[in-house]
Amino acid sequence: MSDRLPWFRCFPSALLGALAGLDADEGIVYVTALLRIYETGAPVGETARTLGRRTGLTERKAGAALERLFEAGKLILTADGKLDSASTHAEIGWQRERHQDQSAAGRASAARRQKQVDEKKNEAFGKSSAQNEDQKHQQNQRNEATAVELPFNHLEEDTDQKEDKPLSDARVARSQSDFPPSAFAIWWQIQPNKVGKDAAERAFNRVRKSGRVTFSELVDGLKSYIATKPPTRDWCHPTTWLNQGRWADEPAPVVPYRAPLNGRAPSAQESFLTQSRNADREMRGEDDASPFLFDAAPVADAAGYTNGHARPALLEPPGGNRGFPPPRYPGPARPH
């Protein structure tokens, strides 16, 4: 704390009693000395010269007034040559105690405010922690398998474990021993799509070393692929066939292809209608001899359609037998 006092209490009766019996020079010097002591909060190093400048008196008059104030006990000259007054000690001491009390009260108030802030933070943290725990509990409940999901989860885990389980050394040895020295040459001879031989041989060696399949299974798979490949599909690349494990394919049965009676290749619309009708007949358990389907070639030839015009391969009764609209043929141009 600074000893300087911004203000002090003034008791008029005490001040007037202290000024009683003093002349004008002594009174002004006395009041000026008191104000300087209150201002600094301690004795001041004032002299007759500085007091004369503050009061407007000459140095001689100010010095004479100081001497008379010393004799009357109004002012005291300390050992270090400073001016002091016993009447100021009580006020200065009260001001210091008041300042200390205010400082202590301020520190206590700051501590209370900090405590409240900490309590609010702890309360918010507790709520956040409780919310996080609730969220974790709910997430764990969502992640836990139900009574219906649990059997399926176990099946998936068992399947993954079985798939990830490496092949035994004995099985790998048996699979590799089944391959003859010229295994790739034999397999390549059967392969109908002989493209990318070097890449296919590298893929063949990887399959042989993996032990996933025997040579007889590999050959049987290739023969099955050749026998079941639809005629409208392109041949699979040999390397792709090996990398994808196509020897284990089980293709779906292919609907047999029926060539048109007039020898003309069917259009895309005709092929789509034929496949739709074949699928519908299979669902209904009907044979190919449907009473509602007949060859449209003679009718189209009689109507004057040539190979340059698109014509339907099959005709249906008006309204359509399977929900299709009846076919419409272009007629003569209307006059405008």
Side-chain angles (χ1 to χ4, degrees):
M1 165 192 172
S2 175
D3 293 334
R4 300 178 67 88
L5 301 180
W7 60 272
F8 65 93
R9 296 175 299 174
C10 179
F11 301 98
S13 299
L15 181 59
L16 290 175
L19 292 175
L22 301 179
D23 59 17
D25 294 343
E26 296 171 353
I28 193 170
V29 171
Y30 177 65
V31 172
T32 303
L34 290 181
L35 293 176
R36 286 287 296 137
I37 294 171
Y38 281 129
E39 181 184 15
T40 59
V44 293
E46 295 290 340
T47 62
R49 179 179 296 181
T50 57
L51 287 174
R53 286 199 296 266
R54 292 181 183 276
T55 59
L57 300 175
T58 63
E59 182 179 354
R60 183 179 63 81
K61 288 184 176 183
L66 279 176
E67 291 295 335
R68 292 192 294 272
L69 290 172
F70 290 149
E71 292 176 358
K74 301 292 184 179
L75 295 178
I76 304 171
L77 186 63
T78 62
D80 55 355
K82 293 183 178 181
L83 296 180
D84 194 8
S85 175
S87 61
T88 61
H89 294 170
E91 179 64 19
I92 293 174
W94 179 84
Q95 290 281 4
R96 289 176 179 174
E97 292 178 359
R98 175 179 171 278
H99 182 77
Q100 292 175 358
D101 294 341
Q102 289 179 347
S103 299
R107 289 192 295 269
S109 177
R112 287 194 300 269
R113 289 195 301 269
Q114 185 63 36
K115 183 179 179 180
Q116 294 175 356
V117 172
D118 295 341
E119 289 177 353
K120 290 181 179 180
K121 288 183 178 180
N122 294 334
E123 183 179 358
F125 179 75
K127 291 181 179 179
S128 177
S129 301
Q131 292 177 356
N132 293 337
E133 291 296 332
D134 293 341
Q135 292 177 357
K136 289 181 180 179
H137 181 66
Q138 294 176 2
Q139 185 66 29
N140 293 335
Q141 288 182 341
R142 288 194 294 266
N143 293 337
E144 290 178 357
T146 62
V148 178
E149 297 173 343
L150 188 58
F152 296 97
N153 291 345
H154 287 324
L155 290 176
E156 292 178 359
E157 293 177 358
D158 296 343
T159 304
D160 295 340
Q161 291 176 359
K162 290 180 180 179
E163 290 179 355
D164 296 339
K165 185 178 180 180
L167 300 175
S168 61
D169 297 339
R171 181 178 176 182
V172 173
R174 287 195 302 270
S175 299
Q176 293 179 355
S177 62
D178 185 64
F179 283 76
S182 58
F184 176 74
I186 299 173
W187 182 84
W188 185 256
Q189 186 66 28
I190 304 173
Q191 173 65 243
N193 189 26
K194 294 179 173 58
V195 293
K197 184 176 181 180
D198 294 341
E201 187 173 3
R202 289 192 294 269
F204 187 89
N205 292 331
R206 286 195 298 269
V207 172
R208 177 179 58 82
K209 294 178 181 179
S210 66
R212 294 183 297 166
V213 62
T214 62
F215 181 70
S216 57
E217 293 174 347
L218 200 62
V219 172
D220 293 342
L222 180 59
K223 291 180 179 180
S224 175
Y225 168 69
I226 296 173
T228 58
K229 187 190 80 67
T232 57
R233 300 276 183 89
D234 294 333
W235 290 103
C236 182
H237 196 282
T239 304
T240 304
W241 192 88
L242 291 168
N243 291 335
Q244 295 181 354
R246 302 290 296 275
W247 59 82
D249 286 355
E250 296 180 1
V254 181
V255 178
Y257 172 76
R258 294 192 309 169
L261 300 178
N262 57 0
R264 180 180 54 86
S267 64
Q269 181 181 6
E270 294 169 353
S271 300
F272 173 76
L273 292 174
T274 302
Q275 294 177 2
S276 300
R277 289 163 183 157
N278 291 340
D280 185 66
R281 282 198 300 271
E282 292 179 1
M283 293 175 58
R284 299 166 62 94
E286 299 176 359
D287 54 8
D288 293 341
S290 176
F292 298 102
L293 300 178
F294 60 93
D295 187 23
V299 179
D301 292 338
Y305 287 96
T306 61
N307 293 334
H309 296 80
R311 59 185 181 182
L314 299 174
L315 296 179
E316 297 181 352
N321 183 39
R322 300 294 185 263
F324 295 100
R328 300 181 60 183
Y329 299 97
R334 296 181 181 180
H336 295 283

